[in-house]
Amino acid sequence: MSIEKKTEILAPAGDTDSFLAAVAAGADAVYCGLKNFSARMEAENFSLTELAALTELAHARGVRVHVAVNNLLKAPELAQAGRLIDRLAQQVRPDALIVQDLGLPALARQAGFKGELHLSTLANGGTISGLPQILALGVNRLVLPRELSIDEIKAVAANCPEGLSLEVFVHGALCYAVSGRCYWSSYLGGKSGLRGRCVQPCRRQYVQKNQKGAFFSCDDLSLDVLVRPLSGVDKVESWKIEGRKKGPHYVFYTVKAYRMLRDAGNDPAQRKAAQELLEMALGRPGSHYNFLGHRPSNPIADREQTASGHMVGKVQGGMKAYISPREPLKSGDLLRIGYEDQAGHQTVKVRRDVPKGGRLDLPKGPGRPAPQGAPVFLVDRRERELQAIIAELRQELATDRPSRESTFVPTLPKRSKVKGRPREMDVWRKLPKRLGNQSEQAVWLTPGVERDISRNIFGRIWWWLPPVVWPAEEKAWTDCLENMTRLGARQFVLNAPWQMGLFAKPERQTFWAGPMCNTANPLALAELSRMGFAGAFVSPELDREGFLELPALSPLPLGVLVRGIHPLCVSRIRSENLKERDPFQSPKGEQFWSRTYGNLVWTFPTWELDLSEKWTELEKAGYALLARLHEPVPDKVVIKERQGLWNWDLKML
């Protein structure tokens, strides 16, 4: 990166006021979503008409606009998503689309979008060896996982091919799970994080052996003064601030702060002022997380308060509850009373100015009133000065925007014809002593596990790679895989498409895409075919319609998980207060356990995914491979008999 070119400050916007606050604060680019196909569907988001006017205003000020179309797409949604992109290209003309689904780059080009394509962090594309494959998709920028250290970021950047740049998160909420590798919200009610509907079960209070805690709720990422080393990393072109569900106050202050940190040089006064601005943004306490790889900080909040906001008082007054704020409150401020799992939890909008030490009466929440002493947090602020700036910018928005419909129809790949009955596969952590001949045998691979398996069956085994391989691990993995292929291993299931880059001579192997590649439509399958995959497991997040229709549209033979304990998520974080292999319980009584494999912490439910009774339907639909997962169950964990149809009968949101 040239000295003259400053790193882009990329701001979030979930509504018009936040978008305008980003522009007012001096953001170089703004990213936002539409009413459909956005990974933050719980944000207000924008209509095409609104976004067209905002983009015109942003472009007039030299501010780029990136639009997130980063949902996992099912087959029937390709035409709708394509029409949306067609209209975006014609009416809005954003500078970039942010995509997760493997089929989106091809769909966007079919629909006539000529701007940049950015691969979302949900695609988990942080492996060095997979960068050429990402570039070959037609992607211009890769959004790196939040979990990477500065050394890992530098290593990725040093190997980044010409034509591909990097975007790094510097501030905002942290997920406990690795992005794109979380099914927790889906498992507990059919609202998919991969489709923008996460209900944040990791923020809840759980119980293990009478110990109650927020074992998975993370502080916010805040690189603050540590962000400066990123300025000198070639290929890192953008610093990304998370927060499309945040208000204009947060957006304005975080953008101002990171602009100051970028431009401060060695000025300590500027850096201190920037930190003060971040403290005013009303986020959660900050964590540097893994950024300093030699000195990481665990972001899991070891405290009762796990949500964002600044504490301004406690509930007083019994049934006639009120607070006496520790600092002045302004009309328009938003308060949160208590914690999510407490009776009386609610949000309250302040309707009048309240001086420090004054009295603000609280409305009754659902159920009992908030308990005496419950903390009250200021979670959003609408300063008159900022509102005036936003109002002035609103006056410049065009109000009469032409709209047009789209007749776009996607071109889908030719179907692959599957002959004969489907094969069966059993997937183990450790192979049993006796292997049956009725099914294919598979084992989860970690470097070293191959030493326990007889060379006589080495070439017969299917080797499953984990859902994430970190940059710091790649050398160990490439050495392991080179040794295994030399000894006769030939069949691999990859749980990220980019893992094919770990193989020195991939043309000598047979690869299937695993279920955690999250494949759900024929265009994504066409990309996998182009990359060299011989088949693919479909995403477990499909519903009945999706499961049964996809084989008839697929250019590849398909596999499906029919039974087994599927993980809720995988993480790079270990909770210091949660004992692995012991059960813990959610507020609604569901039970789970965690276990570490390699450098990933896996969290499992105490009931199986089970589509066994749908076996005949899946066979008739045309699946070539039906797999069972055999996860070892700890001694203290009891597997419950309960319906495990995953999302079969749910319309996954």
Side-chain angles (χ1 to χ4, degrees):
M1 184 181 301
S2 65
I3 296 175
E4 293 79 14
K5 184 178 179 181
K6 289 186 176 181
T7 309
E8 172 186 271
I9 305 296
L10 178 57
D15 58 26
T16 296
D17 280 2
S18 294
F19 191 110
L20 296 176
V23 173
D28 301 294
V30 181
Y31 69 100
C32 51
L34 295 165
K35 301 291 185 183
N36 295 306
F37 306 119
S38 165
R40 287 293 183 271
M41 292 303 297
E42 302 305 316
E44 182 177 323
N45 293 321
F46 301 92
S47 68
L48 280 170
T49 301
E50 291 169 331
L51 190 54
L54 288 164
T55 301
E56 183 178 45
L57 181 145
H59 283 171
R61 286 165 169 73
V63 178
R64 289 165 50 91
V65 177
H66 306 171
V67 177
V69 190
N70 55 344
N71 263 12
L72 177 71
L73 291 183
K74 301 177 186 177
E77 297 170 330
L78 290 175
Q80 182 186 355
R83 290 192 294 271
L84 180 66
I85 293 171
D86 179 19
R87 294 179 67 193
L88 261 175
Q90 298 297 325
Q91 294 174 230
V92 179
R93 297 183 179 88
D95 301 277
L97 298 183
I98 306 168
V99 302
Q100 167 201 177
D101 194 289
L102 272 183
L104 252 296
L107 184 69
R109 296 313 185 201
Q110 283 189 30
F113 181 75
K114 301 186 185 307
E116 294 180 7
L117 296 173
H118 297 177
L119 190 63
S120 169
T121 189
L122 288 166
N124 198 255
T127 55
I128 296 168
S129 55
L131 294 173
Q133 294 170 299
I134 291 171
L135 180 64
L137 276 176
V139 168
N140 306 97
R141 181 186 288 179
L142 170 63
V143 186
L144 289 176
R146 295 168 174 84
E147 289 83 4
L148 301 191
S149 70
I150 180 62
D151 290 335
E152 289 175 315
I153 293 169
K154 287 179 177 179
V156 174
N159 292 276
C160 200
E162 189 67 30
L164 186 66
S165 65
L166 303 176
E167 183 172 295
V168 176
F169 281 93
V170 296
H171 198 88
L174 280 171
C175 294
Y176 167 75
V178 177
S179 293
R181 300 293 182 264
C182 185
Y183 308 88
W184 205 328
S185 182
S186 304
Y187 235 114
L188 300 188
K191 292 191 175 182
S192 168
L194 296 172
R195 292 170 59 79
R197 301 283 188 181
C198 182
V199 297
Q200 298 188 324
C202 60
R203 297 289 183 192
R204 300 293 182 179
Q205 299 269 329
Y206 291 84
V207 176
Q208 186 182 66
K209 291 184 177 179
N210 299 319
Q211 179 187 8
K212 185 176 182 181
F215 300 123
F216 309 99
S217 186
C218 295
D219 288 335
D220 282 359
L221 177 68
S222 182
L223 297 188
D224 48 73
V225 296
L226 294 183
V227 81
R228 286 289 301 168
L230 281 175
S231 296
V233 180
D234 191 30
K235 292 290 188 175
V236 174
E237 293 191 353
S238 182
W239 295 353
K240 187 169 194 173
I241 299 167
E242 187 278 339
R244 281 198 282 143
K245 292 174 68 176
K246 298 285 191 177
H249 174 94
Y250 168 90
V251 172
F252 186 83
Y253 283 104
T254 52
V255 170
K256 281 282 190 185
Y258 280 97
R259 279 198 60 181
M260 292 175 70
L261 288 166
R262 180 193 65 186
D263 302 337
N266 294 319
D267 185 346
Q270 284 284 87
R271 293 199 296 271
K272 182 180 178 182
Q275 285 184 295
E276 290 173 352
L277 289 178
L278 290 176
E279 291 173 2
M280 295 171 62
L282 303 178
R284 296 179 183 87
S287 168
H288 296 149
Y289 191 19
N290 280 330
F291 189 72
L292 297 176
H294 63 288
R295 190 161 50 89
S297 61
N298 192 328
I300 293 178
D302 186 18
R303 49 187 166 72
E304 189 176 14
Q305 152 62 354
T306 65
S308 59
H310 171 60
M311 187 170 171
V312 293
K314 293 186 177 182
V315 174
Q316 305 177 52
M319 294 301 293
K320 295 183 178 180
Y322 70 93
I323 66 165
S324 179
R326 300 173 180 177
E327 58 188 68
L329 300 177
K330 300 179 181 180
S331 178
D333 285 352
L334 193 66
L335 305 179
R336 189 185 76 254
I337 314 299
Y339 303 116
E340 287 185 346
D341 297 321
Q342 281 186 335
H345 172 264
Q346 60 178 311
T347 55
V348 174
K349 188 173 184 179
V350 178
R351 302 293 181 182
R352 61 179 178 82
D353 290 354
V354 181
K356 176 181 178 180
R359 176 175 173 133
L360 175 66
D361 293 316
L362 300 175
K364 291 183 178 180
R368 302 194 307 274
Q372 288 291 290
V376 179
F377 300 93
L378 175 64
V379 294
D380 193 18
R381 167 149 276 174
R382 301 295 168 110
E383 302 98 327
R384 293 183 180 88
E385 297 82 2
L386 178 55
Q387 291 299 107
I389 295 171
I390 291 171
E392 187 175 340
L393 286 172
R394 273 185 178 273
Q395 296 298 314
E396 300 181 33
L397 291 176
T399 56
D400 185 17
R401 304 289 309 182
S403 181
R404 59 177 287 275
E405 296 301 316
S406 171
T407 58
F408 172 80
V409 177
T411 301
L412 300 182
K414 292 182 180 180
R415 177 197 173 189
S416 169
K417 294 183 180 180
V418 178
K419 298 179 181 179
R421 294 179 61 84
R423 294 173 291 160
E424 300 176 28
M425 178 181 285
D426 288 286
V427 188
W428 310 87
R429 290 288 176 180
K430 184 177 180 180
L431 285 175
K433 292 182 179 179
R434 292 186 178 181
L435 298 178
N437 295 317
Q438 302 302 311
S439 70
E440 306 277 348
Q441 300 298 314
V443 63
W444 285 101
L445 178 59
T446 54
V449 73
E450 73 277 7
R451 293 192 291 267
D452 300 326
I453 296 176
S454 169
R455 297 297 177 267
N456 295 328
I457 62 171
F458 222 64
R460 174 186 164 189
I461 301 298
W462 284 87
W463 304 90
W464 280 51
L465 268 67
V468 184
V469 172
W470 303 112
E473 303 174 303
E474 287 192 54
K475 179 62 166 61
W477 274 99
T478 54
D479 290 348
C480 167
L481 294 169
E482 182 178 357
N483 185 48
M484 291 185 63
T485 54
R486 181 177 58 81
L487 294 172
R490 292 291 180 267
Q491 304 174 121
F492 295 88
V493 175
L494 312 182
N495 276 292
W498 336 115
Q499 291 172 348
M500 194 180 289
L502 294 168
F503 293 80
K505 296 180 179 179
E507 66 277 3
R508 297 185 180 181
Q509 320 303 326
T510 298
F511 296 109
W512 272 58
M516 294 190 200
C517 289
N518 300 320
T519 308
N521 66 71
L523 285 181
L525 288 159
E527 287 298 332
L528 290 172
S529 178
R530 181 192 60 77
M531 294 167 72
F533 285 89
F537 283 88
V538 299
S539 170
E541 293 214 338
L542 292 176
D543 54 20
R544 179 183 184 278
E545 181 182 359
F547 278 124
L548 298 182
E549 72 179 352
L550 195 52
L553 302 170
S554 176
L556 286 175
L558 296 185
V560 60
L561 297 179
V562 291
R563 186 166 187 177
I565 299 173
H566 188 280
L568 298 175
C569 69
V570 295
S571 176
R572 204 175 190 179
I573 310 169
R574 290 172 175 81
S575 175
E576 296 174 357
N577 294 316
L578 191 73
K579 187 174 181 180
E580 289 193 8
R581 306 191 193 192
D582 279 7
F584 60 90
Q585 185 168 296
S586 77
K588 293 187 177 181
E590 299 113 338
Q591 289 193 339
F592 317 95
W593 86 92
S594 292
R595 185 168 184 173
T596 297
Y597 292 110
N599 290 314
L600 291 174
V601 181
W602 299 59
T603 300
F604 298 98
T606 58
W607 66 96
E608 292 186 322
L609 172 160
D610 191 359
L611 300 179
S612 299
E613 66 182 58
K614 311 298 180 184
W615 188 287
T616 301
E617 287 183 77
L618 293 167
E619 186 174 339
K620 288 181 178 178
Y623 282 94
L625 192 56
L626 288 82
R628 295 173 287 258
L629 300 176
H630 299 275
E631 181 64 35
V633 178
D635 294 339
K636 297 179 182 179
V637 171
V638 177
I639 300 301
K640 297 182 178 180
E641 292 187 9
R642 59 176 289 182
Q643 190 177 41
L645 293 178
W646 188 247
N647 297 305
W648 184 273
D649 293 323
L650 294 171
K651 282 295 182 184
M652 174 62 68
L653 297 176

